[in-house]
Amino acid sequence: MIKLSRPHIGEETITRVAEILRSGNLVHGKEGAAFEAELSAFLGVKHALVVSSGTAALHLALLAAGIGEGDAVIVPDFTFPATASVVSMVGARPVLVDVDPYTYCLDLTALQQCLASWRGPERLRAVMPVSEFGHPVDMVALRALLAPHDLMIIEDAACAIGAGEEAALSGTQADIGCYSFHPRKTLTTGEGGALVTNNDDLAQAMRRFRNHGMERGEAGLHFYFPGLNYRLTDFQSAIGRDQLRSLPGWIARRRELAQRYADLLQPLAERFAIALPAAHAAHSWQTYMIVLPDHVQRSAVIAALAQRGIEANLGAQCLSALGIYGDKTAPSLSVARRLYTQGMALPLYEGMSDDDVVRVVEGLGAVLAG
Ligand SMILES: *Cc1c(COP(=O)(O)O)cnc(C)c1O
């Protein structure tokens, strides 16, 4: 079976984890501090905080930003539900805006229309763009569009660590950037995540919310406000440190594989009216998702591919189709809905061979030719 994705944990890492387990220092020790320092150096940001999941990172970002009841936050309609769920969980309302059919990221024209027609009653506080599947959000254009508005940018770069141009990596150009280290992401610590910011006050608030609202000062422990426990263990940080060293090479390999997919899929795309993803040069390719034409039943294609030893799956959810976010306005959300029903993720991970890509494309061609 050619799997959709496969976490990459080396034997040296397993040895390191065993050493840390034997040491007895399991939480917030040397490894966590070193992982944070290495992440902030790699990403080029002042503060990096490691946390227990990508969802924890998103939640802490909203808490530190003081977003809650009476507030609204703009979220793309095509993403993993956690992006909007954290908004609901702090008592605010997610406002769902449509996405681009090829980048799968927030559609800036739709965003502009949403801002221009915003009537409340909530106070619009932030935009949460998602660098979907590793496609970098166009932060220059987004910032220009948001310039007249007093809105924070909290980027959900959960699946996009290492994406983006070198001096402006995904997650680093927002007020707060959030990453996930779930096994389905390119860099994994089992469960885990991180937050980055260049703002000292936000960093301090996030650090306190992460750890029971508490901080150790000269006079001992002080509790500043009620908080959570979203800490990452030291053995997970040790895994993350090793993963981070390998990440650039893995992304380079994913870019080669994505290019190979694009080349080999081109004839199929023309013959069967399949849409291929926008191939941004700085895409990190956490997922390679194509879009099947409307008359093709995706579940049948997935089942037929499975029979040929190829795993495929849907890409992400259309949030407005879930009906759980109390969206009252429900504008035309057709792109997100189509991506949700017709989008299909193909196997992609750095350990795949060139021949695996050929097998996937040949398998897909045979299935579609029926
Ligand atoms: C994976 C993912 C999350 C959730 O991260 P967890 O670490 O699983 O909590 C949130 N948003 C997006 C866009 C994701 O891809």
Side-chain angles (χ1 to χ4, degrees):
M1 188 75 159
I2 304 178
K3 304 282 285 175
L4 204 51
S5 83
R6 244 191 125 126
H8 198 140
I9 310 271
E11 284 306 315
E12 336 69 68
T13 304
I14 293 170
T15 306
R16 275 296 290 143
V17 168
E19 278 171 24
I20 291 160
L21 293 177
R22 289 194 188 97
S23 79
N25 296 321
L26 304 188
V27 178
H28 274 204
K30 286 200 304 265
E31 293 297 323
F35 189 24
E36 289 185 341
E38 288 161 8
L39 274 172
S40 71
F42 174 78
L43 295 165
V45 286
K46 197 164 172 197
H47 303 280
L49 283 79
V50 294
V51 293
S52 54
S53 73
T55 305
L58 294 165
H59 191 194
L60 290 182
L62 293 176
L63 291 171
I67 292 169
E69 231 152 286
D71 294 335
V73 176
I74 292 173
V75 173
D77 197 27
F78 182 72
T79 177
F80 185 71
T83 321
S85 290
V86 292
V87 176
S88 297
M89 295 309 289
V90 299
R93 179 164 77 89
V95 178
L96 307 173
V97 169
D98 208 4
V99 297
D100 179 271
Y102 303 104
T103 68
Y104 315 145
C105 297
L106 204 53
D107 176 341
L108 296 189
T109 307
L111 174 62
Q112 191 146 32
Q113 282 163 2
C114 172
L115 292 171
S117 63
W118 180 256
R119 297 283 175 273
E122 298 91 345
R123 190 155 74 105
L124 211 43
R125 292 287 311 283
V127 178
M128 292 176 84
V130 178
S131 291
E132 190 61 28
F133 303 145
H135 186 293
V137 167
D138 185 347
M139 289 298 289
V140 174
L142 180 63
R143 274 173 186 279
L145 195 159
L146 294 181
H149 304 270
D150 181 23
L151 292 172
M152 272 184 82
I153 304 178
I154 298 173
E155 183 177 350
D156 182 349
C159 44
I161 191 161
E165 311 297 340
E166 196 169 329
L169 293 174
S170 287
T172 68
Q173 305 300 297
D175 294 293
I176 305 174
C178 304
Y179 305 96
S180 163
F181 303 148
H182 179 272
R184 183 68 182 83
K185 318 297 181 184
T186 309
L187 185 165
T188 186
T189 58
E191 295 283 2
L195 287 150
V196 295
T197 185
N198 290 312
N199 180 307
D200 297 340
D201 294 333
L202 289 173
Q204 183 184 62
M206 296 188 300
R207 208 168 274 124
R208 289 174 180 170
F209 273 116
R210 171 179 70 175
N211 193 20
H212 306 290
M214 163 180 103
E215 217 171 330
R216 190 177 294 279
E218 286 177 7
L221 280 183
H222 188 77
F223 287 86
Y224 290 87
F225 42 71
L228 295 154
N229 174 0
Y230 279 167
R231 297 183 303 242
L232 190 71
T233 66
D234 252 32
F235 46 95
Q236 288 171 298
S237 283
I239 299 173
R241 294 181 68 193
D242 281 1
Q243 297 260 305
L244 186 60
R245 272 188 289 269
S246 302
L247 184 69
W250 290 347
I251 291 175
R253 176 62 183 153
R254 284 167 179 262
R255 286 179 181 151
E256 280 175 13
L257 291 164
Q259 181 62 52
R260 197 166 171 77
Y261 263 130
D263 293 343
L264 295 176
L265 283 169
Q266 195 52 48
L268 287 193
E270 282 163 26
R271 181 165 165 215
F272 298 107
I274 295 169
L276 302 183
H280 193 296
H283 204 308
S284 65
W285 298 108
Q286 179 258 347
T287 290
Y288 193 92
M289 188 186 88
I290 61 172
V291 185
L292 301 172
D294 289 332
H295 65 272
V296 173
Q297 200 191 358
R298 181 182 59 194
S299 58
V301 175
I302 291 173
L305 285 173
Q307 289 215 317
R308 293 170 175 269
I310 298 162
E311 188 180 28
N313 203 350
L314 89 173
Q317 311 287 322
C318 173
L319 304 187
S320 59
L322 302 180
I324 59 173
Y325 297 110
D327 194 62
K328 288 171 282 191
T329 46
S332 155
L333 296 165
S334 52
V335 175
R337 220 163 276 230
R338 258 204 92 234
L339 297 179
Y340 174 48
T341 55
Q342 299 305 107
M344 189 172 75
L346 299 177
L348 184 69
Y349 53 93
E350 56 281 351
M352 263 178 92
S353 69
D354 288 359
D355 283 349
D356 288 337
V357 178
V358 173
R359 266 187 64 198
V360 173
V361 174
E362 284 178 357
L364 180 64
V367 166
L368 292 174

